[in-house]
Coordinates of all heavy atoms in Angstrom, one line a residue:
M1 N 19.4 -17.4 1.6 CA 18.2 -17.6 0.8 C 18.8 -18.0 -0.6 O 19.6 -17.3 -1.2 CB 17.4 -16.4 0.7 CG 16.3 -16.4 -0.3 SD 15.0 -15.1 -0.2 CE 15.8 -13.7 -0.8
G2 N 18.3 -19.0 -1.2 CA 18.7 -19.5 -2.5 C 18.0 -18.7 -3.6 O 17.1 -17.9 -3.4
S3 N 18.4 -18.9 -4.8 CA 17.8 -18.2 -5.9 C 17.3 -19.2 -7.0 O 17.8 -20.4 -7.0 CB 18.7 -17.2 -6.6 OG 19.9 -17.9 -7.1
T4 N 16.4 -18.8 -7.8 CA 15.8 -19.7 -8.8 C 15.8 -18.9 -10.1 O 15.6 -17.7 -10.1 CB 14.4 -20.1 -8.4 OG1 14.4 -20.8 -7.2 CG2 13.7 -21.0 -9.4
V5 N 15.9 -19.6 -11.2 CA 15.9 -18.9 -12.5 C 14.5 -18.7 -13.0 O 13.7 -19.6 -12.9 CB 16.7 -19.7 -13.5 CG1 16.6 -19.1 -14.9 CG2 18.1 -19.9 -13.1
L6 N 14.2 -17.5 -13.5 CA 12.9 -17.2 -14.1 C 13.2 -16.7 -15.5 O 13.9 -15.7 -15.6 CB 12.2 -16.1 -13.3 CG 10.9 -15.6 -13.9 CD1 9.8 -16.6 -14.0 CD2 10.4 -14.4 -13.1
S7 N 12.7 -17.3 -16.4 CA 13.0 -17.0 -17.8 C 11.7 -16.3 -18.4 O 10.6 -16.7 -18.2 CB 13.3 -18.2 -18.6 OG 13.5 -17.9 -20.0
L8 N 11.9 -15.1 -19.0 CA 10.8 -14.3 -19.6 C 11.0 -14.1 -21.1 O 12.2 -13.8 -21.5 CB 10.7 -13.0 -18.9 CG 10.4 -13.0 -17.4 CD1 10.6 -11.5 -16.9 CD2 9.1 -13.5 -17.1
R9 N 10.0 -14.1 -21.8 CA 10.0 -13.7 -23.2 C 9.3 -12.3 -23.2 O 8.1 -12.2 -22.9 CB 9.3 -14.7 -24.1 CG 9.4 -14.3 -25.6 CD 8.7 -15.4 -26.4 NE 9.1 -16.7 -26.1 CZ 10.1 -17.3 -26.8 NH1 10.7 -16.8 -27.8 NH2 10.4 -18.6 -26.5
I10 N 10.0 -11.3 -23.6 CA 9.4 -9.9 -23.6 C 9.7 -9.2 -24.9 O 10.6 -9.6 -25.7 CB 9.9 -9.0 -22.4 CG1 11.4 -8.8 -22.5 CG2 9.5 -9.6 -21.1 CD1 11.9 -7.8 -21.5
D11 N 8.9 -8.3 -25.2 CA 8.9 -7.5 -26.4 C 10.2 -6.7 -26.4 O 10.7 -6.2 -25.4 CB 7.7 -6.6 -26.4 CG 7.7 -5.7 -27.6 OD1 7.3 -6.2 -28.7 OD2 8.0 -4.5 -27.5
G12 N 10.8 -6.5 -27.6 CA 12.1 -5.8 -27.8 C 12.0 -4.4 -27.3 O 12.9 -3.8 -26.7
E13 N 10.8 -3.7 -27.5 CA 10.6 -2.3 -27.1 C 10.6 -2.2 -25.6 O 11.2 -1.3 -25.0 CB 9.3 -1.8 -27.7 CG 9.0 -0.4 -27.4 CD 7.7 0.1 -28.1 OE1 7.5 -0.2 -29.2 OE2 7.0 0.8 -27.4
L14 N 9.9 -3.2 -24.9 CA 9.9 -3.2 -23.5 C 11.3 -3.4 -22.9 O 11.7 -2.8 -22.0 CB 9.0 -4.3 -23.0 CG 8.9 -4.5 -21.4 CD1 8.6 -3.2 -20.7 CD2 8.0 -5.7 -21.1
L15 N 12.1 -4.3 -23.5 CA 13.4 -4.6 -23.1 C 14.3 -3.3 -23.2 O 15.0 -2.9 -22.3 CB 14.1 -5.7 -23.8 CG 15.5 -6.0 -23.4 CD1 15.6 -6.4 -21.9 CD2 16.1 -7.2 -24.3
D16 N 14.1 -2.6 -24.3 CA 14.8 -1.3 -24.4 C 14.5 -0.3 -23.3 O 15.3 0.4 -22.8 CB 14.5 -0.7 -25.8 CG 15.2 -1.5 -26.9 OD1 16.1 -2.2 -26.7 OD2 14.7 -1.3 -28.1
R17 N 13.2 -0.2 -23.0 CA 12.7 0.7 -21.9 C 13.3 0.2 -20.6 O 13.7 1.1 -19.8 CB 11.2 0.7 -21.9 CG 10.6 1.5 -23.0 CD 9.1 1.8 -23.0 NE 8.4 1.4 -21.9 CZ 7.3 0.6 -22.0 NH1 6.9 0.2 -23.1 NH2 6.6 0.3 -20.9
L18 N 13.3 -1.1 -20.3 CA 13.9 -1.6 -19.1 C 15.4 -1.3 -19.0 O 15.9 -0.9 -18.0 CB 13.7 -3.1 -19.0 CG 12.3 -3.6 -18.7 CD1 12.2 -5.1 -18.8 CD2 11.8 -3.1 -17.4
R19 N 16.1 -1.4 -20.1 CA 17.5 -1.1 -20.2 C 17.7 0.4 -19.8 O 18.6 0.7 -19.1 CB 18.1 -1.4 -21.5 CG 18.4 -2.9 -21.8 CD 19.0 -3.1 -23.1 NE 19.3 -4.5 -23.3 CZ 19.1 -5.1 -24.4 NH1 18.6 -4.5 -25.5 NH2 19.3 -6.4 -24.5
S20 N 16.9 1.2 -20.4 CA 17.0 2.7 -20.2 C 16.7 3.0 -18.7 O 17.5 3.7 -18.1 CB 16.0 3.4 -21.1 OG 15.9 4.8 -20.8
H21 N 15.7 2.4 -18.1 CA 15.4 2.7 -16.7 C 16.5 2.2 -15.8 O 16.9 2.9 -14.8 CB 14.1 2.0 -16.3 CG 12.9 2.7 -16.9 ND1 12.5 4.0 -16.6 CD2 11.9 2.2 -17.8 CE1 11.4 4.3 -17.2 NE2 11.0 3.2 -18.0
A22 N 17.0 1.0 -16.1 CA 18.1 0.4 -15.3 C 19.4 1.2 -15.4 O 20.0 1.5 -14.4 CB 18.4 -1.0 -15.8
A23 N 19.7 1.7 -16.7 CA 20.9 2.5 -16.9 C 20.8 3.8 -16.1 O 21.9 4.2 -15.5 CB 21.1 2.8 -18.4
K24 N 19.7 4.4 -16.0 CA 19.5 5.7 -15.3 C 19.9 5.5 -13.8 O 20.3 6.4 -13.1 CB 18.1 6.2 -15.4 CG 17.7 6.7 -16.7 CD 16.3 7.2 -16.7 CE 15.8 7.5 -18.1 NZ 14.4 7.9 -18.2
R25 N 19.7 4.3 -13.3 CA 20.0 4.0 -11.9 C 21.3 3.2 -11.7 O 21.6 2.8 -10.6 CB 18.8 3.1 -11.4 CG 17.5 3.9 -11.3 CD 16.3 3.0 -11.2 NE 15.1 3.8 -11.1 CZ 14.4 4.3 -12.1 NH1 14.9 4.2 -13.3 NH2 13.3 5.0 -12.0
G26 N 22.0 3.0 -12.8 CA 23.3 2.4 -12.7 C 23.2 0.9 -12.4 O 24.0 0.3 -11.7
M27 N 22.1 0.3 -12.9 CA 21.8 -1.1 -12.5 C 21.7 -2.0 -13.8 O 21.6 -1.5 -14.9 CB 20.4 -1.2 -11.8 CG 20.3 -0.4 -10.6 SD 18.6 -0.3 -10.0 CE 18.4 -1.9 -9.4
S28 N 21.9 -3.3 -13.6 CA 21.6 -4.2 -14.7 C 20.1 -4.3 -14.8 O 19.3 -4.0 -13.9 CB 22.2 -5.6 -14.4 OG 21.5 -6.2 -13.3
V29 N 19.7 -4.8 -16.0 CA 18.2 -5.0 -16.2 C 17.7 -6.0 -15.2 O 16.6 -5.9 -14.6 CB 18.0 -5.5 -17.7 CG1 16.5 -5.9 -17.8 CG2 18.3 -4.4 -18.6
Q30 N 18.5 -7.1 -14.9 CA 18.1 -8.1 -14.0 C 17.8 -7.5 -12.6 O 16.8 -7.7 -12.0 CB 19.1 -9.2 -13.9 CG 18.7 -10.3 -12.9 CD 19.8 -11.4 -12.8 OE1 20.5 -11.6 -13.8 NE2 19.9 -12.0 -11.7
D31 N 18.8 -6.7 -12.1 CA 18.7 -6.1 -10.8 C 17.5 -5.1 -10.8 O 16.7 -5.1 -9.8 CB 19.9 -5.4 -10.4 CG 21.1 -6.3 -10.1 OD1 20.8 -7.5 -9.8 OD2 22.2 -5.8 -10.1
Y32 N 17.3 -4.4 -11.8 CA 16.2 -3.4 -11.9 C 14.8 -4.1 -11.8 O 14.0 -3.8 -11.1 CB 16.2 -2.6 -13.2 CG 15.1 -1.6 -13.3 CD1 15.0 -0.5 -12.6 CD2 14.0 -1.9 -14.2 CE1 14.0 0.4 -12.8 CE2 13.0 -1.1 -14.3 CZ 12.9 0.1 -13.6 OH 11.9 1.0 -13.7
V33 N 14.7 -5.2 -12.6 CA 13.4 -6.0 -12.6 C 13.2 -6.6 -11.2 O 12.1 -6.5 -10.7 CB 13.4 -7.0 -13.7 CG1 12.2 -8.0 -13.6 CG2 13.4 -6.4 -15.1
V34 N 14.2 -7.2 -10.6 CA 14.1 -7.8 -9.3 C 13.7 -6.8 -8.3 O 12.7 -7.0 -7.5 CB 15.3 -8.6 -8.9 CG1 15.3 -9.0 -7.4 CG2 15.5 -9.8 -9.8
R35 N 14.3 -5.6 -8.3 CA 14.0 -4.6 -7.3 C 12.6 -4.1 -7.5 O 11.9 -3.8 -6.5 CB 15.0 -3.4 -7.4 CG 16.3 -3.8 -6.7 CD 17.2 -2.6 -6.7 NE 16.7 -1.6 -5.8 CZ 17.3 -0.6 -5.3 NH1 18.6 -0.6 -5.5 NH2 16.8 0.3 -4.5
T36 N 12.1 -4.0 -8.8 CA 10.8 -3.5 -9.0 C 9.8 -4.6 -8.5 O 8.8 -4.2 -7.9 CB 10.6 -3.3 -10.5 OG1 11.5 -2.3 -11.0 CG2 9.2 -2.9 -10.9
L37 N 10.1 -5.8 -8.7 CA 9.2 -6.9 -8.2 C 9.1 -6.9 -6.7 O 8.1 -7.0 -6.1 CB 9.6 -8.2 -8.7 CG 9.4 -8.5 -10.2 CD1 10.1 -9.8 -10.6 CD2 7.9 -8.5 -10.6
I38 N 10.3 -6.7 -6.0 CA 10.3 -6.6 -4.6 C 9.5 -5.4 -4.1 O 8.7 -5.6 -3.1 CB 11.8 -6.6 -4.1 CG1 12.5 -7.9 -4.3 CG2 11.8 -6.2 -2.6 CD1 14.0 -7.8 -4.1
R39 N 9.7 -4.3 -4.7 CA 8.9 -3.1 -4.3 C 7.4 -3.3 -4.5 O 6.6 -3.0 -3.6 CB 9.4 -1.9 -5.1 CG 8.7 -0.6 -4.7 CD 9.2 0.6 -5.5 NE 8.9 0.5 -6.9 CZ 9.8 0.5 -7.9 NH1 11.0 0.7 -7.6 NH2 9.4 0.4 -9.1
E40 N 7.0 -3.9 -5.6 CA 5.6 -4.2 -5.8 C 5.0 -5.1 -4.8 O 3.9 -5.0 -4.3 CB 5.4 -4.7 -7.2 CG 5.6 -3.7 -8.3 CD 4.6 -2.6 -8.4 OE1 3.4 -2.8 -8.1 OE2 5.0 -1.5 -8.7
D41 N 5.8 -6.2 -4.4 CA 5.4 -7.1 -3.4 C 5.2 -6.5 -2.1 O 4.3 -6.7 -1.4 CB 6.4 -8.3 -3.4 CG 6.0 -9.3 -2.3 OD1 4.9 -9.9 -2.4 OD2 6.8 -9.5 -1.4
F42 N 6.2 -5.6 -1.7 CA 6.1 -4.9 -0.5 C 4.9 -4.0 -0.4 O 4.1 -4.0 0.6 CB 7.4 -4.0 -0.2 CG 7.2 -3.1 1.0 CD1 7.4 -3.6 2.3 CD2 6.8 -1.8 0.8 CE1 7.2 -2.8 3.4 CE2 6.6 -0.9 1.9 CZ 6.8 -1.4 3.2
D43 N 4.6 -3.2 -1.5 CA 3.4 -2.4 -1.6 C 2.2 -3.2 -1.4 O 1.3 -2.8 -0.7 CB 3.4 -1.6 -2.9 CG 4.4 -0.5 -3.0 OD1 5.1 -0.2 -2.0 OD2 4.6 0.0 -4.1
E44 N 2.1 -4.3 -2.0 CA 0.9 -5.2 -1.9 C 0.7 -5.7 -0.5 O -0.4 -5.7 0.1 CB 1.0 -6.3 -2.9 CG -0.2 -7.2 -3.0 CD -0.1 -8.3 -4.0 OE1 0.3 -7.9 -5.1 OE2 -0.4 -9.4 -3.7
R45 N 1.8 -6.1 0.1 CA 1.8 -6.6 1.5 C 1.4 -5.5 2.5 O 0.7 -5.7 3.4 CB 3.1 -7.3 1.9 CG 3.3 -8.7 1.2 CD 4.5 -9.4 1.7 NE 5.7 -8.7 1.2 CZ 6.7 -8.3 1.9 NH1 6.8 -8.6 3.2 NH2 7.8 -7.7 1.4
F46 N 2.0 -4.3 2.2 CA 1.7 -3.2 3.1 C 0.2 -2.8 3.0 O -0.4 -2.5 4.0 CB 2.6 -2.0 2.7 CG 2.4 -0.8 3.6 CD1 2.9 -0.8 4.9 CD2 1.7 0.3 3.2 CE1 2.7 0.3 5.7 CE2 1.5 1.4 4.0 CZ 2.0 1.4 5.3
K47 N -0.3 -2.7 1.8 CA -1.7 -2.4 1.6 C -2.6 -3.4 2.3 O -3.6 -3.1 3.0 CB -2.1 -2.4 0.1 CG -3.5 -2.0 -0.1 CD -3.9 -2.2 -1.6 CE -5.4 -2.0 -1.9 NZ -6.3 -2.7 -1.1
T48 N -2.3 -4.7 2.2 CA -3.0 -5.8 2.9 C -3.0 -5.5 4.4 O -4.0 -5.7 5.1 CB -2.5 -7.2 2.6 OG1 -2.6 -7.3 1.2 CG2 -3.2 -8.3 3.3
A49 N -1.8 -5.2 5.0 CA -1.7 -4.9 6.4 C -2.5 -3.7 6.8 O -3.2 -3.8 7.8 CB -0.2 -4.7 6.8
V50 N -2.6 -2.7 6.0 CA -3.4 -1.5 6.3 C -4.8 -1.9 6.3 O -5.6 -1.5 7.2 CB -3.1 -0.4 5.3 CG1 -4.1 0.8 5.4 CG2 -1.7 0.2 5.5
D51 N -5.3 -2.6 5.3 CA -6.7 -3.1 5.2 C -7.1 -3.9 6.4 O -8.1 -3.7 7.0 CB -6.9 -3.9 3.9 CG -6.8 -3.1 2.6 OD1 -6.9 -1.8 2.7 OD2 -6.7 -3.7 1.5
E52 N -6.2 -4.8 6.8 CA -6.5 -5.6 8.0 C -6.6 -4.8 9.2 O -7.4 -5.0 10.1 CB -5.5 -6.7 8.1 CG -5.6 -7.8 7.1 CD -4.5 -8.8 7.2 OE1 -3.7 -8.8 8.1 OE2 -4.5 -9.7 6.3
T53 N -5.7 -3.8 9.4 CA -5.7 -2.9 10.5 C -7.0 -2.1 10.5 O -7.6 -1.9 11.6 CB -4.5 -1.9 10.5 OG1 -3.3 -2.7 10.5 CG2 -4.5 -1.0 11.7
E54 N -7.4 -1.6 9.4 CA -8.6 -0.8 9.3 C -9.8 -1.7 9.7 O -10.8 -1.2 10.4 CB -8.8 -0.2 7.9 CG -7.9 1.0 7.7 CD -8.1 1.6 6.3 OE1 -8.7 0.9 5.4 OE2 -7.6 2.7 6.1
R55 N -9.8 -2.9 9.2 CA -11.0 -3.8 9.6 C -11.0 -4.1 11.1 O -12.0 -4.2 11.7 CB -10.8 -5.1 8.9 CG -11.4 -5.1 7.5 CD -11.6 -6.5 6.9 NE -10.4 -7.3 6.8 CZ -9.5 -7.2 5.8 NH1 -9.7 -6.3 4.8 NH2 -8.4 -7.9 5.8
F56 N -9.8 -4.2 11.7 CA -9.7 -4.5 13.1 C -10.1 -3.3 14.0 O -10.9 -3.4 14.9 CB -8.3 -4.9 13.5 CG -8.1 -5.3 14.9 CD1 -8.6 -6.5 15.4 CD2 -7.5 -4.4 15.8 CE1 -8.4 -6.9 16.7 CE2 -7.4 -4.8 17.2 CZ -7.8 -6.0 17.6
Y57 N -9.6 -2.1 13.6 CA -9.8 -0.9 14.4 C -11.0 -0.1 13.9 O -11.5 0.8 14.5 CB -8.6 0.0 14.5 CG -7.5 -0.6 15.3 CD1 -6.4 -1.1 14.7 CD2 -7.6 -0.6 16.7 CE1 -5.3 -1.6 15.5 CE2 -6.6 -1.1 17.5 CZ -5.5 -1.7 16.9 OH -4.5 -2.2 17.6
G58 N -11.4 -0.4 12.6 CA -12.5 0.4 12.0 C -11.9 1.6 11.2 O -10.9 2.2 11.7
A59 N -12.4 1.8 10.1 CA -11.9 2.9 9.2 C -12.3 4.2 9.8 O -13.3 4.4 10.6 CB -12.5 2.8 7.8
A60 N -11.5 5.3 9.6 CA -11.8 6.6 10.1 C -13.1 7.1 9.5 O -13.4 6.8 8.3 CB -10.7 7.6 9.7
D61 N -13.9 7.9 10.3 CA -15.1 8.4 9.8 C -14.8 9.5 8.8 O -13.9 10.3 9.0 CB -15.9 9.1 10.9 CG -16.5 8.0 11.9 OD1 -16.6 6.8 11.5 OD2 -16.7 8.4 13.0
R62 N -15.6 9.5 7.7 CA -15.4 10.5 6.6 C -16.7 11.2 6.3 O -17.7 10.6 6.5 CB -14.9 9.8 5.3 CG -13.6 9.0 5.5 CD -12.5 9.7 4.8 NE -11.3 8.9 5.0 CZ -10.1 9.5 5.0 NH1 -10.0 10.8 4.9 NH2 -9.0 8.9 5.2
T63 N -16.6 12.4 5.8 CA -17.8 13.1 5.4 C -18.1 12.7 4.0 O -17.3 12.0 3.4 CB -17.6 14.6 5.5 OG1 -16.5 15.0 4.6 CG2 -17.3 15.1 6.9
A64 N -19.2 13.1 3.5 CA -19.7 12.7 2.1 C -18.7 13.2 1.0 O -18.5 12.5 0.0 CB -21.1 13.3 1.8
D65 N -18.0 14.3 1.2 CA -17.1 14.7 0.2 C -15.7 14.2 0.3 O -14.7 14.5 -0.4 CB -17.0 16.3 0.1 CG -16.5 16.9 1.4 OD1 -16.2 16.2 2.3 OD2 -16.5 18.2 1.4
G66 N -15.5 13.3 1.3 CA -14.2 12.6 1.5 C -13.2 13.3 2.4 O -12.2 12.8 2.7
D67 N -13.6 14.5 3.0 CA -12.7 15.1 4.0 C -12.9 14.4 5.3 O -13.9 13.8 5.6 CB -13.1 16.6 4.2 CG -12.8 17.4 3.0 OD1 -11.9 17.0 2.2 OD2 -13.5 18.5 2.8
E68 N -11.8 14.5 6.1 CA -11.8 13.8 7.4 C -12.8 14.6 8.3 O -12.8 15.8 8.4 CB -10.5 13.9 8.1 CG -9.5 12.9 7.4 CD -8.2 13.6 7.0 OE1 -7.9 14.7 7.6 OE2 -7.5 13.2 6.1
A69 N -13.7 13.8 9.0 CA -14.7 14.4 9.9 C -14.1 14.9 11.2 O -14.5 15.9 11.8 CB -15.8 13.4 10.1
A70 N -13.1 14.2 11.7 CA -12.5 14.5 13.0 C -11.2 15.1 13.0 O -10.4 15.1 13.9 CB -12.5 13.2 13.8
G71 N -10.8 15.7 11.8 CA -9.5 16.3 11.7 C -8.4 15.4 11.3 O -8.6 14.2 11.1
P72 N -7.1 15.9 11.3 CA -6.0 15.1 10.7 C -5.7 13.8 11.5 O -5.3 12.8 11.0 CB -4.8 16.0 10.8 CG -5.4 17.4 11.1 CD -6.8 17.2 11.6
A73 N -6.1 13.8 12.8 CA -5.8 12.6 13.6 C -6.6 11.4 13.2 O -6.3 10.3 13.5 CB -6.0 12.9 15.1
A74 N -7.7 11.7 12.5 CA -8.6 10.6 12.1 C -8.2 10.1 10.7 O -8.9 9.2 10.2 CB -10.0 11.1 12.1
A75 N -7.1 10.6 10.1 CA -6.8 10.1 8.8 C -6.5 8.7 8.8 O -5.9 8.1 9.7 CB -5.5 10.9 8.3
S76 N -6.9 8.0 7.7 CA -6.7 6.6 7.6 C -5.2 6.3 7.2 O -4.6 7.1 6.5 CB -7.6 6.1 6.4 OG -7.2 4.8 6.1
P77 N -4.6 5.2 7.7 CA -3.2 4.9 7.3 C -3.1 4.8 5.8 O -2.0 5.1 5.3 CB -3.0 3.5 8.0 CG -4.0 3.5 9.1 CD -5.2 4.3 8.7
R78 N -4.2 4.5 5.1 CA -4.1 4.4 3.7 C -3.8 5.7 3.0 O -3.3 5.8 1.9 CB -5.4 3.8 3.1 CG -5.4 3.7 1.6 CD -6.8 3.2 1.2 NE -7.2 2.1 2.1 CZ -7.6 0.9 1.7 NH1 -7.6 0.6 0.5 NH2 -8.0 0.0 2.6
D79 N -4.2 6.8 3.7 CA -3.9 8.2 3.1 C -2.4 8.4 3.0 O -2.1 9.3 2.2 CB -4.5 9.2 4.0 CG -6.0 9.2 4.1 OD1 -6.6 8.6 3.2 OD2 -6.6 9.7 5.1
H80 N -1.6 7.6 3.6 CA -0.2 7.9 3.5 C 0.6 6.8 2.7 O 1.8 6.8 2.6 CB 0.4 7.8 5.0 CG -0.2 8.8 5.9 ND1 -0.1 10.1 5.8 CD2 -1.2 8.6 6.9 CE1 -0.8 10.8 6.7 NE2 -1.5 9.8 7.3
V81 N -0.2 6.0 2.0 CA 0.4 5.0 1.1 C 0.7 5.6 -0.2 O -0.2 6.1 -0.9 CB -0.5 3.7 1.0 CG1 0.1 2.7 0.0 CG2 -0.7 3.1 2.3
R82 N 1.9 5.6 -0.7 CA 2.2 6.1 -2.0 C 2.1 5.0 -3.0 O 2.7 3.9 -2.8 CB 3.7 6.6 -2.0 CG 4.2 7.1 -3.3 CD 5.6 7.5 -3.2 NE 6.5 6.4 -3.0 CZ 6.9 5.6 -4.0 NH1 6.6 5.8 -5.2 NH2 7.7 4.6 -3.7
P83 N 1.3 5.2 -4.1 CA 1.3 4.1 -5.1 C 2.6 3.9 -5.7 O 3.3 4.9 -6.0 CB 0.2 4.6 -6.1 CG 0.0 6.1 -5.8 CD 0.5 6.3 -4.4
S84 N 3.0 2.7 -6.0 CA 4.3 2.5 -6.5 C 4.3 2.8 -8.0 O 3.3 2.7 -8.7 CB 4.7 1.0 -6.3 OG 3.8 0.2 -7.1
A85 N 5.4 3.2 -8.5 CA 5.6 3.5 -9.9 C 5.7 2.2 -10.7 O 6.3 1.3 -10.3 CB 6.9 4.3 -10.1
G86 N 5.1 2.2 -11.9 CA 5.2 1.1 -12.7 C 6.5 1.0 -13.4 O 7.4 1.9 -13.3
I87 N 6.7 0.1 -14.2 CA 8.0 -0.1 -15.0 C 8.1 1.0 -16.0 O 9.2 1.5 -16.3 CB 8.1 -1.5 -15.6 CG1 8.3 -2.5 -14.5 CG2 9.3 -1.6 -16.5 CD1 8.3 -3.9 -14.9
A88 N 7.0 1.3 -16.7 CA 7.0 2.2 -17.8 C 7.3 3.6 -17.4 O 7.2 4.1 -16.3 CB 5.7 2.2 -18.5

């Protein structure tokens, strides 16, 4: 797979925060940003797949207060999706 250059103009404060986050992980800013974008893309694709699965099989029945009506086996796959952390 080839690579393409993406040039960004960002605020100095944001760049400092990115450097800090990258340094905590022993990464370059470039690697940190790329991994963050890949993770976000995966989360978005996974959510889409879960939504399509729910439409195909039907969402789990829920009571008015949001508890599962039929026990843990009826839990929606979405209940197990961890929201991804932002850059900040």
Side-chain angles (χ1 to χ4, degrees):
M1 172 166 79
S3 64
T4 302
V5 174
L6 171 65
S7 178
L8 299 172
R9 183 180 307 266
I10 61 173
D11 180 78
E13 186 177 316
L14 175 58
L15 181 58
D16 290 342
R17 288 188 2 235
L18 289 171
R19 282 183 180 137
S20 174
H21 289 294
K24 288 178 188 175
R25 292 161 180 82
M27 303 169 72
S28 69
V29 172
Q30 178 180 335
D31 289 342
Y32 178 77
V33 170
V34 169
R35 285 187 62 160
T36 300
L37 291 171
I38 289 169
R39 183 177 63 237
E40 292 293 324
D41 180 59
F42 171 80
D43 289 349
E44 186 175 314
R45 288 183 290 130
F46 183 76
K47 180 188 175 308
T48 300
V50 169
D51 290 345
E52 289 176 7
T53 300
E54 286 179 346
R55 276 193 302 276
F56 183 77
Y57 290 106
D61 292 337
R62 303 250 178 211
T63 61
D65 62 359
D67 290 336
E68 290 128 21
S76 167
R78 181 183 316 236
D79 295 337
H80 304 289
V81 176
R82 179 184 64 85
S84 68
I87 292 175

